[in-house]
Amino acid sequence: MGRIFGVRIGADPSLFIVLVLITFSLTGLYEDLFPGEPTKALILSVASALLFFGAILLHELGHAVEAKRLGIEIVGIDLWLLGGVAKMRRDTNSPGEEFKVAVAGPLVTLGIVGLCVLLGSAIAGGWSTFFDIARFDIPPGGAGEVSAVLGYLAQINLVLLIFNLVPGFPLDGGRIARAIAWRITGDRVKATRFAALLGRGFAYILGGFGVYFLFQGELIAGVWGIFIAFFLYQAASAAEVQTNVAARVEGVSVADVMDPEPVSIGTLVKLDRALEDYFLRYGWPWFPVVDHDGRFVGFVGRQAVEDVPEELRPTWTVDEVTTKDAPGTFRVPMDEPLETLLGSDGLRQLGALMAVDGEGRLRGVVTLDQVRRALNPAT
């Protein structure tokens, strides 16, 4: 979707499903505030849904900006069905870093709530009137459009803030709990297990409420409760596993496991020579592409070469069919800790990452199989 403060912003298709659901659910509430004006209610519902996810984006940017300030690279922010997630290249190095990154998002959300309350109260003409509007009660004299949207945003972000501060992984409250446990025990793995245990416990409680709502005939609330509980349980368990795995490769760098003699193709190589000298010779589906100084610029696949008409291949160069690398997607510094590769989207997509030096020159290739062998040396 773009970049903010240098951070890639992406959206899962499920986000748009939620936007439609939120819009649909809010339309009826806004029709109560503005009787006989369905078009206005619909417009306000769409605006509220978009602004809500804008608030979630700001929340995740709070995490991302603080992480970058601490020297942790951010792979990107993805918005999806249950909100958003800021993906860090590596885990935090200390309880202090963990606490600062974890608390940054809730502080942004708290600021959004406070701003909405202050502005909404000023526009509505008082605190009590604004709170009536936030509860979708029609105040004497009616409601204003802006104060109505601000009331919804204040309400939903307050709920999000409270929910997110529950002390269980992977919620921000769970990360704060992990930071505290890490400080007390001095052991990141033990602290993660503790926070993951809290997260699974909260998932059971939330799932129990979901089942209760189902028996009460509240189908939507029950299904959502069970669904969110399942997600929290899985995420808490996955975070614990990832931390255990990271502990196994502590002190191991990309340079320790990479192939230090990668076969690469220059940008100026003609496509007919690339096909003959590389793809047919080695039989590999793709090769890294480097410029005249050996800097990694992207990769070229056999299919991309073969899609070019045969009569044009002697005149076209590899650079013209290269899939360019967005910095940080398919490359990794060769001195980077191996644990930073565990959550790499590029490694999952391509099956390998290009190890580069400080000037971007290709120095090696680390594959998914090499990472797996490093994680399980017995195999």
Side-chain angles (χ1 to χ4, degrees), residues 27-348:
T27 300
L29 295 174
Y30 279 125
E31 285 178 349
D32 292 338
L33 285 179
F34 304 97
E37 300 183 82
T39 302
K40 178 184 289 187
L42 177 61
I43 293 173
L44 293 178
S45 299
V46 173
S48 297
L50 293 174
L51 288 172
F52 171 54
F53 273 93
I56 291 177
L57 176 57
L58 290 176
H59 175 104
E60 297 302 330
L61 280 171
H63 292 305
V65 170
E66 180 61 21
K68 290 185 71 173
R69 191 185 71 81
L70 294 170
I72 303 173
E73 184 181 350
I74 298 296
V75 176
I77 292 175
D78 290 318
L79 301 176
W80 70 300
L81 181 66
L82 295 180
V85 58
K87 297 180 179 179
M88 300 189 298
R89 175 72 70 183
R90 63 169 176 84
D91 205 349
T92 50
N93 286 329
S94 69
E97 284 190 357
E98 177 73 3
F99 180 83
K100 291 175 183 177
V101 173
V103 80
L107 286 176
V108 171
T109 300
L110 180 61
I112 291 172
V113 172
L115 184 62
C116 288
V117 170
L118 289 174
L119 290 177
S121 298
I123 294 172
W127 300 91
S128 60
T129 302
F130 176 71
F131 290 145
D132 286 340
I133 294 173
R135 294 193 302 269
F136 290 96
D137 291 334
I138 303 177
E145 293 83 354
V146 176
S147 56
V149 173
L150 289 173
Y152 167 74
L153 290 175
Q155 175 194 138
I156 194 65
N157 278 285
L158 181 60
V159 171
L160 177 66
L161 176 64
I162 295 171
F163 178 79
N164 217 12
L165 288 177
V166 170
F169 236 41
L171 301 173
D172 291 336
R175 298 198 62 179
I176 293 172
R178 181 172 84 145
I180 295 172
W182 190 354
R183 173 73 70 182
I184 294 172
T185 64
D187 190 319
R188 180 174 65 180
V189 175
K190 288 182 179 179
T192 304
R193 288 173 181 164
F194 171 71
L197 179 63
L198 292 177
R200 288 194 291 269
F202 176 65
Y204 278 121
I205 294 173
L206 186 60
F209 276 111
V211 172
Y212 171 78
F213 284 127
L214 284 179
F215 279 108
Q216 294 298 311
E218 298 287 344
L219 180 62
I220 296 178
V223 171
W224 268 107
I226 294 172
F227 176 75
I228 295 174
F230 177 78
F231 164 76
L232 291 177
Y233 184 91
Q234 293 294 323
S237 300
E240 182 178 6
V241 170
Q242 183 167 337
T243 299
N244 291 334
V245 169
R248 252 185 265 163
V249 294
E250 192 171 0
V252 180
S253 70
V254 170
D256 294 327
V257 301
M258 71 182 189
D259 176 1
E261 298 181 354
V263 178
S264 60
I265 304 180
T267 54
L268 300 182
V269 173
K270 302 298 184 182
L271 293 187
D272 60 338
R273 301 317 314 160
L275 187 61
E276 182 72 26
D277 298 342
Y278 292 90
F279 290 102
L280 296 180
R281 177 182 176 186
Y282 292 97
W284 297 343
W286 59 266
F287 286 89
V289 177
V290 297
D291 64 15
H292 63 281
D293 288 324
R295 294 186 180 88
F296 173 63
V297 297
F299 63 91
V300 60
R302 178 170 179 170
Q303 189 61 51
V305 175
E306 292 181 338
D307 285 344
V308 176
E310 187 173 354
E311 62 273 14
L312 296 179
R313 294 174 193 166
T315 58
W316 282 36
T317 62
V318 166
D319 186 56
E320 294 176 88
V321 295
T322 294
T323 299
K324 297 297 192 295
D325 174 54
T329 303
F330 296 110
R331 72 178 70 195
V332 61
M334 58 186 296
D335 57 355
E336 194 84 349
L338 191 63
E339 68 175 273
T340 63
L341 273 60
L342 299 181
S344 169
D345 290 333
L347 185 61
R348 287 196 297 270

